[in-house]
């Protein structure tokens, strides 16, 4: 029985005994009752102490202020950050001297059905079991890289939904997953072989309803070559049901923004008028530079064709492709962080390359801004800034301990030592550990 439930039973029994005493005014608790009260006290104390973790020393990234500060002491209590400040010691003590504590990272663009190999179409034809093995590996890689929230933007079959449930049930170590179910595209559209293909406003509307029925947290619309009417049908339907829409806009960004999407993935060459529309409408951008960068840099090792590698190198050298992102950021458009992991040559644990390239292109000027995009801004994009995204008392204990001084060297982001997701230790000494499923379940969902 999970400790939480055991405690509930003990507390329930003790309540019954208190009432029994109250029914006999003036009577003293019997020896049996006193022993019982002592057992309740002892169980409560042990439970409270065992679920606490105190992290002291080292430095801490203050995501709200966008700066590094000396770690004032952080206490994790079950699933939440109980206290930040002068904390003393409660439960397990972790000395973070020489290390950095940051909020869990948010990779808000990835594909768990893919593992970074280039043949997406071939991978998409894998049968169900192979896809599920792959997504299990992807979840482990992501959490070992310090990712505590992952937005899956399109897979094959129901991979995103399966990943979300497997993580929630504690079957595997991994970040919390948000998913779009299947992305929606027109016949022959981008990655059609893994998507829900829909043509015409009515069908697009139906495809949107289907994803929401199946449990999608977001709708991912492949805007390529859709008419404005089709795009509007999707956005109207999703918003009517309270679900946000994102799109891999590229050259179709203007249409997508006009249709009312909430977020644009990739993108880059926006003119001033479009930047103004994006800002006005409060649309988010998740740039995802990793595929171009990593294919250019590591393509050979992954067996990518030389012609693709050459094209990627040319794209990297063409600053004009990314100037729109710089203009958008300067205009005040909000940015979150995503690597497009799972797509060719982008494994789920590759975080640093995206951060470095965002700085190199000047999308962000300071390293702290990149880290904010990957933490608190990400939480804002998914509407969870009250729950996570920074190290503050009362928020979910999504916490990463890095073995080094991140303020001095951004590459320390790769030296992940420990990760807690909702307070559960998912990574210890740099390696994912198997969660205890009993910590994730209650009698209410085990059944009679
Ligand atoms: Zn993608």
């Amino acid at each position: 029985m999970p400790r939480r439930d055991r405690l509930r039973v003990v507390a329930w029994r003790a309540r019954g005994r208190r009432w029994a005493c109250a029914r006999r005014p003036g009577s003293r608790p019997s020896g049996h009752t006193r022993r019982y009260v002592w057992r309740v006290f002892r169980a409560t104390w042990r439970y409270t102490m065992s679920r606490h973790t105190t992290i002291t020393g080292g430095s801490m990234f203050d995501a709200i202020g966008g700066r590094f500060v000396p770690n004032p002491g952080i206490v994790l209590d079950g699933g939440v950050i109980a206290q930040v400040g002068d904390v003393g010691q409660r439960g397990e003590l972790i000395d973070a001297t020489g290390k950095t504590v940051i909020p869990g990272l948010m990779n808000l663009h990835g594909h768990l059905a893919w593992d970074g190999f280039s043949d997406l179409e071939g991978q998409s034809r894998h049968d169900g079991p192979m896809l599920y093995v792959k997504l299990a590996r992807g979840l482990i890689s992501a959490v070992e890289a310090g990712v505590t929230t992952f937005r899956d933007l399109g897979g094959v079959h129901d991979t995103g939904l399966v990943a979300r449930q497997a993580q929630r049930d504690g079957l595997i170590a991994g970040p919390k997953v948000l998913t779009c179910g299947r992305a929606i595209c027109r016949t022959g559209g981008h990655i059609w072989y893994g998507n829900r293909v829909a043509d015409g406003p009515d069908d697009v509307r139906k495809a949107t309803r289907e994803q929401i029925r199946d449990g999608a947290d977001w709708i991912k619309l492949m805007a390529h070559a859709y008419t404005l009417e089709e795009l509007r049908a999707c956005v109207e339907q999703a918003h009517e049901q309270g679900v946000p829409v994102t799109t891999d806009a590229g050259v179709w960004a203007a249409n997508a923004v006009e249709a009312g999407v909430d977020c644009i993935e990739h993108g880059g060459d926006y003119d001033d008028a479009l930047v103004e529309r994006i800002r006005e409408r409060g649309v988010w951008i998740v740039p995802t530079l990793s595929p171009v960068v990593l294919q250019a840099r590591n393509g050979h090792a992954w067996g990518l064709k030389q012609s693709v590698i050459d094209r990627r190198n040319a794209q990297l050298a063409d600053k004009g492709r990314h100037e729109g992102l710089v203009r958008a950021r300067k205009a005040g458009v909000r940015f979150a962080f995503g690597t497009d992991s799972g797509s060719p040559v982008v494994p789920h644990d590759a975080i640093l390359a995206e951060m470095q390239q965002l700085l190199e292109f000047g999308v962000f000027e300071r390293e702290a801004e990149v880290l904010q995009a990957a933490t608190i801004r990400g939480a804002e994009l998914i509407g969870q800034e009250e729950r996570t995204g920074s190290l503050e008392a009362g928020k979910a204990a999504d916490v990463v301990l890095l073995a080094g001084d991140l303020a001095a060297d951004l590459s320390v982001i790769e030296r992940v030592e420990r990760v807690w997701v909702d307070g559960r230790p998912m990574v210890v000494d740099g390696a994912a550990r198997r969660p205890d499923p009993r910590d994730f379940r209650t009698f209410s969902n085990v059944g009679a």
Side-chain angles (χ1 to χ4, degrees):
M1 188 191 295
R3 279 180 306 207
R4 194 175 47 235
D5 294 328
R6 212 157 49 217
L7 200 67
R8 256 185 225 143
V9 171
V10 171
W12 180 78
R13 285 191 188 144
R15 196 172 53 186
R17 294 196 175 268
R18 187 164 54 78
W19 288 341
C21 289
R23 277 201 296 276
R24 298 193 300 277
S27 69
R28 287 165 56 80
S30 67
H32 183 81
T33 305
R34 283 201 301 276
R35 279 195 300 279
Y36 209 91
V37 168
W38 167 241
R39 267 164 48 199
V40 170
F41 172 75
R42 195 176 54 187
T44 309
W45 176 255
R46 281 186 182 160
Y47 175 62
T48 306
M49 291 312 288
S50 69
R51 68 178 199 166
H52 279 101
T53 304
T54 304
I55 309 168
T56 59
S59 88
M60 178 184 108
F61 180 61
D62 166 14
I64 303 286
R67 65 210 164 107
F68 289 91
V69 294
N71 173 19
I74 301 167
V75 177
L76 314 184
D77 176 0
V80 298
I81 298 169
Q83 208 180 332
V84 178
D86 189 12
V87 294
Q89 180 189 341
R90 277 195 279 167
E92 185 191 3
L93 181 67
I94 294 173
D95 180 4
T97 304
K99 302 176 182 176
T100 312
V101 193
I102 63 169
L105 300 174
M106 302 214 168
N107 185 356
L108 297 187
H109 187 132
H111 307 274
L112 288 164
W114 297 322
D115 58 8
F117 281 92
S118 64
D119 184 5
L120 295 184
E121 186 168 354
Q123 289 195 67
S124 298
R125 293 206 173 109
H126 282 151
D127 59 0
M130 181 55 108
L131 288 170
Y132 301 137
V133 171
K134 209 175 277 187
L135 74 84
R137 187 187 157 95
L139 283 169
I140 291 171
S141 297
V143 80
E144 284 184 341
V147 175
T148 58
T149 304
F150 185 99
R151 192 173 57 147
D152 186 286
L153 288 184
V156 189
H157 304 318
D158 48 3
T159 41
L161 295 161
V162 170
R164 188 179 66 186
Q165 197 59 44
Q167 194 277 343
R168 280 184 184 169
D169 285 351
L171 297 173
I172 189 161
K176 292 177 267 193
V177 176
L178 299 170
T179 176
C180 69
R182 285 189 181 210
I184 299 170
C185 76
R186 68 174 209 150
T187 296
H190 187 47
I191 322 278
W192 59 268
Y193 35 81
N195 296 339
R196 163 66 161 90
V197 172
D199 295 301
D202 288 348
D203 196 20
V204 168
R205 199 177 282 275
K206 186 177 180 200
T208 307
R209 288 190 187 119
E210 284 171 3
Q211 306 316 306
I212 297 171
R213 173 201 63 197
D214 293 345
D217 305 290
W218 278 76
I219 293 297
K220 167 80 178 295
L221 188 58
M222 301 295 199
H224 296 62
Y226 265 137
T227 64
L228 189 55
E229 206 187 352
E230 287 169 318
L231 297 172
R232 278 199 176 122
C234 170
V235 174
E236 276 171 22
Q237 185 61 47
H239 286 178
E240 195 182 303
Q241 295 183 260
V243 176
V245 180
T246 190
T247 175
D248 69 326
V251 294
W252 305 95
N255 264 1
V257 170
E258 192 57 37
V261 297
D262 304 278
C263 184
I264 300 174
E265 312 294 318
H266 324 303
D269 47 357
Y270 311 128
D271 60 25
D272 286 343
L274 181 55
V275 165
E276 186 49 27
R277 285 295 272 161
I278 291 171
R279 192 196 61 78
E280 236 173 52
R281 295 195 161 216
V283 177
W284 286 78
I285 296 178
V286 179
T288 75
L289 307 173
S290 298
V292 174
V293 175
L294 293 177
Q295 285 170 30
R297 193 188 295 167
N298 304 332
H300 279 297
W302 288 72
L304 210 58
K305 284 187 208 153
Q306 186 59 46
S307 58
V308 178
I309 296 170
D310 291 345
R311 194 166 70 236
R312 294 311 191 201
N313 274 310
Q315 287 171 345
L316 270 185
D318 178 8
K319 294 277 194 288
R321 278 175 57 87
H322 309 286
E323 268 173 7
L325 293 173
V326 179
R327 281 203 300 271
R329 200 262 309 156
K330 285 185 177 159
V333 173
R334 294 174 298 176
F335 280 72
F337 180 87
T339 64
D340 209 351
S341 64
S343 64
V345 197
V346 189
H348 293 288
D349 58 358
I351 297 293
L352 180 63
E354 181 78 29
M355 292 186 164
Q356 286 173 329
Q357 202 62 41
L358 286 163
L359 290 163
E360 166 109 19
F361 281 153
V363 179
F364 295 107
E365 282 162 5
R366 296 186 303 122
E367 294 179 353
E369 291 170 335
V370 183
L371 293 167
Q372 282 180 304
T375 54
I376 189 66
R377 298 285 167 266
E380 286 167 15
L381 168 58
I382 59 172
Q384 292 189 14
E385 68 274 22
E386 302 293 324
R387 279 204 63 242
T388 184
S390 62
L391 300 172
E392 291 177 279
K395 284 195 167 179
D398 297 335
V399 181
V400 177
L401 177 64
L402 299 168
D405 183 4
L406 184 62
D409 178 4
L410 188 62
S411 72
V412 166
I413 200 80
E414 291 191 321
R415 290 165 59 189
V416 173
E417 188 172 304
R418 287 189 183 235
V419 181
W420 292 264
V421 179
D422 277 336
R424 294 172 179 124
M426 291 282 186
V427 175
V428 177
D429 294 333
R433 62 174 237 172
R434 198 177 56 193
D436 182 347
R438 289 174 299 180
D439 285 344
F440 289 71
R441 292 178 189 176
T442 64
F443 278 123
S444 62
N445 64 16
V446 171

